[in-house]
């Protein structure tokens, strides 16, 4: 659980209200005189988190307005001196967390819209009326003093510190990060340090977080770099704002939250889900309802999340995957297949895993252990779940298997040309009824030519036709690429003569993916597609560690 709470709950317009409304820092401090959260119950909040299946809580000890939610000896801009409330909120939370075996992390903002020594000013907080003078070194000493107060043992064992606001200045001031991190590890040796700077982890950091994004995402100016060595965490809100807003009633549904949890776990990360208590300290009804829904699902299916690791495959057309490796060589490894997009034909496939040695597979639907059959082909392992009841949120399939290692195919080498190929792909438009891809080539060709992209654009027919595209694909950089083929109905992808994706048969719009190492330069490519009536769709996209998922552009295709 993430908790954003402070004086900003009084104007009830989110945690950035001071900056968004350019409130003078002296006027803003008057809100603290109204901050008297008589309904705050640390025990109730901690139990709400625990009952929701959460294992740790991260609370804002101070946010960007600089207000300290504990009795700070370094400042009178704190809950003890500036407000009528007479309890140390952080102390109350620490006591309740310890009692209920919940780990406690402290959020602490680097930036401060109220402190006059926060100078030079950063990207935000420029309209809060502070004099254009200050001493940043003195300000950083102040931060170190406050962190010492929080970590000196008065609040017990602290599981970690969650920093935010580095991005307000980036590298144009000396944040003294290494000194700060060393202080934390000296005072709390077991504490984990993370920083929401949207960069690859800096030295001294122990986990990497992603704000409103999955690992590798590039929101908020993030580089998209993922640490291979550190734990990962995604944070997001139950509704829209982090801090309480009286107009924010857009709470995510139980289904949305569970799917977000699955997506996070699929990507090998924890989910830190935020609530913003009301000015009186109580959680909103919408938050409590959402937490209750999460708890119900976790009570039944938490074993498919707790202690698992991410998916072996980056993209699955049917949903998500979590995995659990056995420490006993005689015991099976387990993968949990979370089917959130139930296929029309009842077949779910693991692309690129034809060598998966399955011991047994079963469904958790209706608390049963109904056995499931499987089969292999040259590219995939397929599971038949056609007779399994569909869960509206997540149909879970459990697969016990021997330890799996990916087939390491040799990297596809690039072609060499004496002259550069011409833009666009050759295409042929076939007319006739098809039920499988291979039947396309037996149908008469009614048009041919060159087209810029792989799409339905060359077709003049609405139903019962096929398209074949051939030419060259230019890979921008040597590495591992995931190709995703979406179609309605059947389709296939071949690169350098190697069958990569077999998305055959009659089906609605759906996607299949394939990951391979491939060298920089030109490669042969062929895509075949047929439409048998009803809807129609065709798109080929790619992604890599350095490139987000996108349709293959015309600039990468030639003949």
């Amino acid at each position: 659980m993430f908790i954003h709470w402070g004086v900003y709950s009084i104007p009830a317009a989110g945690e950035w209200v001071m900056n968004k409304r350019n409130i003078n820092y002296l006027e803003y401090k008057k809100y603290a005189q109204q901050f008297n959260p008589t309904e705050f119950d640390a025990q109730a909040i901690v139990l709400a988190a625990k009952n929701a299946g959460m294992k740790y809580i991260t609370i804002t000890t101070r946010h960007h307005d600089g207000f300290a939610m504990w009795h700070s000896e370094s400042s009178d801009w704190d809950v003890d001196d500036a407000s009528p409330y007479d309890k140390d909120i952080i102390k109350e939370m620490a006591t309740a967390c310890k009692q209920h075996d919940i780990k406690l992390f402290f959020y602490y903002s680097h930036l401060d819209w109220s402190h006059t020594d926060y100078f030079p000013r950063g990207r935000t907080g420029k309209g809060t009326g502070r004099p254009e003078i200050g001493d940043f070194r003195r300000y950083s000493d102040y931060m170190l003093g406050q962190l010492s107060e929080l970590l000196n043992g008065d609040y017990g064992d602290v599981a970690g510190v969650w920093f935010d606001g580095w991005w307000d200045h980036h590298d144009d001031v000396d944040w003294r990060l290494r000194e700060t991190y060393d202080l934390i590890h000296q005072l709390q040796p077991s504490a984990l340090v993370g920083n929401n700077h949207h960069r690859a982890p800096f030295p001294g950091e122990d986990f990497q977080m992603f704000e409103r994004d999955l690992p590798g995402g590039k929101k908020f100016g993030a580089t998209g770099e993922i640490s291979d060595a550190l734990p990962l965490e995604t944070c997001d809100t139950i509704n829209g704002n982090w801090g309480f807003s009286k107009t924010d009633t857009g709470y995510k549904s139980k289904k949305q939250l569970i799917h977000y949890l699955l997506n996070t776990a699929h990507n090998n990360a924890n989910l830190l889900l935020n609530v913003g208590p009301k000015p009186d300290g109580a959680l909103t009804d919408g938050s409590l309802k959402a937490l209750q829904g999460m708890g119900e699902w976790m009570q039944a299916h938490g074993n498919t999340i707790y202690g698992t690791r991410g998916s072996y495959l980056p993209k699955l057309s049917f949903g998500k995957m979590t995995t659990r490796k056995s420490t006993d060589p005689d015991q099976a490894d387990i993968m949990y297949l979370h089917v959130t997009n139930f296929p029309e034909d009842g077949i779910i496939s693991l692309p690129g895993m034809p060598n998966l040695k399955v011991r047994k597979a079963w469904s958790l639907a209706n608390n049963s252990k109904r056995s499931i059959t499987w089969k292999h082909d040259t590219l995939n392992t397929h599971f038949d779940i056609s007779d399994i009841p569909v869960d509206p949120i997540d149909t879970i399939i459990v697969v016990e298997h021997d330890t799996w290692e990916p087939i390491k195919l040799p990297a596809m080498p690039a072609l060499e040309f004496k002259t550069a190929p011409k833009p666009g792909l050759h295409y042929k438009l076939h007319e006739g009824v098809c039920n499988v891809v291979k039947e396309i080539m037996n149908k008469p060709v009614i048009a041919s030519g060159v087209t810029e992209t792989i799409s339905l654009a060359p077709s003049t027919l609405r139903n019962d036709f096929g398209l074949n595209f051939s030419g060259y694909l230019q890979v921008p950089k040597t590495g591992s690429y995931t190709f995703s083929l979406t179609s309605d109905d059947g389709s296939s992808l071949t690169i350098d003569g190697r069958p990569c994706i077999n998305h055959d048969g009659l089906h609605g719009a759906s996607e299949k993916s394939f990951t391979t190492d491939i060298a920089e330069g030109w490669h042969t490519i062929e895509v075949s597609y047929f439409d048998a009536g009803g809807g129609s769709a065709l798109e080929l996209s790619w992604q890599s560690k350095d490139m987000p998922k996108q349709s293959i552009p015309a600039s990468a295709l030639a003949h």
Side-chain angles (χ1 to χ4, degrees):
M1 175 186 280
F2 211 170
I3 302 175
H4 274 68
W5 187 38
V7 166
Y8 44 82
S9 65
I10 298 297
E15 72 291 346
W16 276 62
V17 62
M18 184 182 184
N19 176 75
K20 289 181 177 179
R21 295 182 180 176
N22 290 318
I23 302 174
N24 181 281
Y25 77 109
L26 296 176
E27 289 297 314
Y28 184 83
K29 288 186 175 182
K30 295 178 182 179
Y31 284 125
Q33 299 168 13
Q34 306 172 50
F35 188 67
N36 189 27
T38 55
E39 297 302 312
F40 169 64
D41 184 345
Q43 295 282 336
I45 291 176
V46 171
L47 283 174
K50 186 170 186 175
N51 291 336
M54 297 167 172
K55 299 297 186 181
Y56 63 96
I57 291 174
T58 301
I59 186 170
T60 50
T61 59
R62 75 163 205 170
H63 202 257
H64 306 328
D65 61 0
F67 182 77
M69 295 287 279
W70 76 98
H71 175 44
S72 176
E73 297 291 344
S74 303
S75 172
D76 59 4
W77 180 225
D78 67 354
V79 68
D80 184 64
D81 296 301
S83 83
Y85 195 63
D86 61 357
K87 294 181 181 179
D88 185 326
I89 289 170
I90 302 304
K91 187 71 171 180
E92 295 280 309
M93 288 296 299
T95 300
C97 283
K98 181 178 181 180
Q99 181 178 341
H100 296 291
D101 195 26
I102 295 292
K103 302 293 185 183
L104 182 62
F105 284 66
F106 290 157
Y107 170 109
Y108 188 90
S109 173
H110 285 303
L111 75 91
D112 192 323
W113 295 326
S114 297
H115 204 292
T116 55
D117 273 333
Y118 186 78
F119 184 86
R121 305 291 177 237
R123 296 161 53 207
T124 64
K126 294 181 177 180
T128 61
R130 290 165 293 173
E132 290 300 305
I133 190 172
D135 183 337
F136 198 86
R137 178 75 183 190
R138 188 164 58 208
Y139 171 73
S140 61
D141 284 339
Y142 166 75
M143 285 197 299
L144 291 172
Q146 284 202 322
L147 287 167
S148 295
E149 294 171 8
L150 289 167
L151 302 169
N152 64 11
D154 289 350
Y155 299 96
D157 293 332
V158 178
V161 181
W162 206 103
F163 285 107
D164 195 11
W166 175 92
W167 37 260
D168 197 51
H169 266 298
H170 287 187
D171 296 318
D172 58 340
V173 299
D174 182 9
W175 285 110
R176 299 162 67 182
L177 288 185
R178 191 63 213 227
E179 182 181 351
T180 301
Y181 297 166
D182 288 345
L183 173 68
I184 295 169
H185 290 135
Q186 176 186 346
L187 295 175
Q188 295 275 346
S190 298
L192 302 177
V193 174
N195 199 318
N196 189 33
H197 44 54
H198 309 149
R199 298 289 185 270
F202 298 154
E205 294 173 3
D206 305 303
F207 68 101
Q208 184 180 9
M209 72 270 286
F210 300 85
E211 181 181 355
R212 294 186 189 264
D213 212 348
L214 296 168
K218 295 187 177 181
K219 292 183 180 178
F220 306 105
T223 63
E225 298 173 84
I226 305 175
S227 169
D228 294 329
L230 301 182
L232 309 177
E233 177 188 79
T234 286
C235 63
D236 209 334
T237 58
I238 274 183
N239 47 353
N241 290 273
W242 297 97
F244 175 72
S245 173
K246 61 185 177 183
T247 61
D248 185 0
T249 57
Y251 291 92
K252 297 177 178 69
S253 68
K254 177 179 178 179
K255 182 176 182 178
Q256 286 175 310
L257 291 173
I258 296 302
H259 284 190
Y260 199 11
L261 173 65
L262 296 176
N263 209 358
T264 304
H266 176 95
N267 284 276
N268 205 34
N270 287 345
L271 175 61
L272 185 63
L273 188 61
N274 182 78
V275 296
K278 296 182 291 185
D280 65 6
L283 297 181
T284 64
D285 291 341
S287 294
L288 289 171
K289 180 180 178 181
L291 292 172
Q292 181 181 358
M294 291 283 285
E296 291 169 351
W297 190 89
M298 290 297 290
Q299 182 69 29
H301 305 300
N303 65 308
T304 70
I305 302 294
Y306 295 132
T308 63
R309 291 295 178 259
S311 174
Y312 296 133
L313 304 173
K315 183 75 175 180
L316 293 167
S317 60
F318 60 80
K320 305 301 172 187
M321 176 198 293
T322 54
T323 60
R324 190 189 308 278
K325 281 187 171 293
S326 173
T327 57
D328 184 343
D330 294 326
Q331 297 295 317
D333 291 348
I334 295 176
M335 63 173 65
Y336 301 99
L337 307 180
H338 300 271
V339 183
T340 56
N341 181 27
F342 206 95
E344 292 182 4
D345 61 1
I347 305 297
I348 59 174
S349 302
L350 301 180
M353 299 184 74
N355 60 329
L356 182 69
K357 295 181 179 179
V358 179
R359 296 189 184 186
K360 59 181 177 179
W362 67 91
S363 164
L364 295 183
N366 298 332
N367 296 316
S368 68
K369 278 196 172 186
R370 184 182 299 182
S371 295
I372 290 171
T373 60
W374 64 90
K375 65 179 181 179
H376 308 282
D377 60 26
T378 57
L379 294 175
N380 314 284
T381 296
H382 308 279
F383 296 89
D384 186 348
I385 61 170
S386 56
D387 62 345
I388 300 300
V390 179
D391 186 297
I393 292 180
D394 178 20
T395 304
I396 302 174
I397 307 302
V398 185
V399 180
E400 286 191 0
H401 60 93
D402 291 350
T403 298
W404 177 76
E405 295 292 341
I407 299 174
K408 190 66 175 178
L409 298 173
M412 296 181 180
L415 301 171
E416 295 184 5
F417 293 100
K418 292 182 178 180
T419 58
K422 299 176 182 180
L425 294 176
H426 288 297
Y427 79 87
K428 293 180 180 179
L429 174 62
H430 301 258
E431 184 177 17
V433 178
C434 297
N435 292 303
V436 292
V437 168
K438 66 180 181 181
E439 294 176 354
I440 295 173
M441 305 308 292
N442 298 325
K443 305 302 178 183
V445 177
I446 62 170
S448 63
V450 175
T451 183
E452 290 187 346
T453 60
I454 297 169
S455 70
L456 295 174
S459 177
T460 56
L461 304 175
R462 297 186 62 184
N463 296 306
D464 298 329
F465 67 90
L467 283 166
N468 179 264
F469 303 86
S470 61
Y472 303 106
L473 168 72
Q474 187 176 35
V475 174
K477 181 180 178 182
T478 299
S480 179
Y481 286 75
T482 297
F483 293 87
S484 300
L485 184 59
T486 299
S487 66
D488 175 1
D489 292 281
S491 60
S492 65
L493 168 67
T494 301
I495 299 176
D496 289 342
R498 180 188 298 175
C500 296
I501 297 178
N502 178 12
H503 197 8
D504 211 352
L506 303 174
H507 54 77
S510 58
E511 179 182 274
K512 283 196 174 182
S513 301
F514 175 79
T515 300
T516 186
D517 290 339
I518 190 167
E520 176 181 345
W522 291 102
H523 300 261
T524 63
I525 184 172
E526 181 177 4
V527 173
S528 296
Y529 164 81
F530 74 89
D531 174 85
S536 58
L538 178 64
E539 180 184 20
L540 180 63
S541 61
W542 61 355
Q543 66 186 105
S544 69
K545 183 178 181 181
D546 302 315
M547 180 177 66
K549 184 178 180 182
Q550 58 188 277
S551 296
I552 295 181
S555 59
L557 300 171
H559 68 281

